[in-house]
Amino acid sequence: DAKTTQPNSMESNEEEPVHLPCNHSTISGTDYIHWYRQLPSQGPEYVIHGLTSNVNNRMASLAIAEDRKSSTLILHRATLRDAAVYYCILRDFGNEKLTFGTGTRLTIIP
Amino acid sequence: DTAVSQTPKYLVTQMGNDKSIKCEQNLGHDTMYWYKQDSKKFLKIMFSYNNKELIINETVPNRFSPKSPDKAHLNLHINSLELGDSAVYFCASSQVVSEGSYGYTFGSGTRLTVV
């Protein structure tokens, strides 16, 4: 799986938008961009995924650069419950293996 | 209804013992996994099974033996436990759909402490 680079940690104020960046300069044409998060003392949970176009779901939005070498996970209005480690993962189509990096630890300030 | 359930949630045992962790999923997924999260919080895949068949074995010591009696269950048996086996073990499942594999579901983890 291609490598991703994320900041080790970020802070954001409650009720403000959060933009979590991810660089993946060696992404291949068949790599999907997945985001997972791990809340304290829980297993990772799926957030969103995309290939080329921006994606929205009830949890977040995913903005993918035109050259696909970077992406941004957007939490539109952060709550304290969003404090977690967020993982950006590249996954080749048909490859079910998830390879986790070190992720970004997001702290929400009340 | 818990989608992926693991038991036990906590397991404290002595070095040299043999222990098992059980996992069940009620999502109808074909593929199940075991992941290990060490003290540095690094998550690493150990095994994956698809329809009871071993697909991935990531250079895990032979003391670890997964068993899948059916596609809804994947258990992990560990022989001769060592201090370094202390970690949180996560079970997960997934289903391949179009547009790339869509969404793993993880269990809440089993914290294994070897003393």
Side-chain angles (χ1 to χ4, degrees):
Chain A
D1 293 317
K3 188 177 166 59
T4 63
T5 305
Q6 300 177 252
N8 287 334
S9 62
M10 290 183 62
E11 287 186 349
S12 181
N13 293 322
E14 194 178 8
E15 298 186 4
E16 290 187 357
V18 182
H19 291 237
L20 295 160
C22 181
N23 287 319
H24 28 79
S25 58
T26 59
I27 191 170
S28 74
T30 54
D31 281 330
Y32 282 77
I33 303 160
H34 290 250
W35 283 82
Y36 281 75
R37 71 179 185 180
Q38 187 173 19
L39 302 172
S41 300
Q42 294 189 30
E45 66 173 341
Y46 169 82
V47 178
I48 201 166
H49 81 288
L51 183 62
T52 56
S53 304
N54 294 344
V55 184
N56 299 300
N57 66 20
R58 63 173 181 81
M59 288 181 73
S61 296
L62 176 60
I64 301 172
E66 200 169 329
D67 63 5
R68 301 213 320 131
K69 294 186 176 181
S70 65
S71 61
T72 302
L73 178 71
I74 302 165
L75 307 179
H76 295 286
R77 195 165 164 270
T79 70
L80 296 177
R81 275 212 74 237
D82 291 321
V85 178
Y86 286 79
Y87 297 96
C88 169
I89 300 167
L90 298 184
R91 193 168 176 191
D92 195 13
F93 177 78
N95 179 2
E96 295 221 55
K97 184 170 126 178
L98 268 183
T99 302
F100 288 83
T102 52
T104 296
R105 181 173 298 277
L106 176 65
T107 301
I108 304 299
I109 302 166
Chain B
D1 287 344
T2 304
V4 179
S5 59
Q6 302 177 224
T7 54
K9 191 170 175 62
Y10 299 96
L11 185 53
V12 181
T13 188
Q14 290 187 327
M15 281 176 55
N17 283 351
D18 303 338
K19 290 293 178 186
S20 292
I21 306 171
K22 295 186 176 181
C23 179
E24 176 182 5
Q25 55 99 0
N26 61 7
L27 298 165
H29 287 172
D30 289 332
T31 308
M32 296 185 72
Y33 311 79
W34 279 108
Y35 275 77
K36 178 181 179 181
Q37 188 165 42
D38 59 26
S39 57
K40 295 182 180 178
K41 304 295 185 184
F42 192 61
L43 264 165
K44 190 171 180 184
I45 191 169
M46 299 173 68
F47 300 104
S48 106
Y49 269 74
N50 182 280
N51 270 319
K52 304 192 294 176
E53 183 183 343
L54 179 66
I55 302 297
I56 295 173
N57 182 342
E58 289 283 315
T59 322
V60 177
N62 290 338
R63 300 181 295 104
F64 290 79
S65 52
K67 284 190 172 49
S68 181
D70 55 61
K71 77 172 195 177
H73 296 84
L74 180 61
N75 304 322
L76 183 64
H77 188 77
I78 315 170
N79 290 327
S80 304
L81 278 155
E82 300 176 358
L83 292 176
D85 297 332
S86 296
V88 181
Y89 292 84
F90 289 100
C91 179
S93 70
S94 74
Q95 184 85 316
V96 176
V97 294
S98 61
E99 302 270 343
S101 296
Y102 179 82
Y104 267 51
T105 303
F106 282 81
S108 56
T110 296
R111 181 174 294 278
L112 172 64
T113 303
V114 182
V115 297

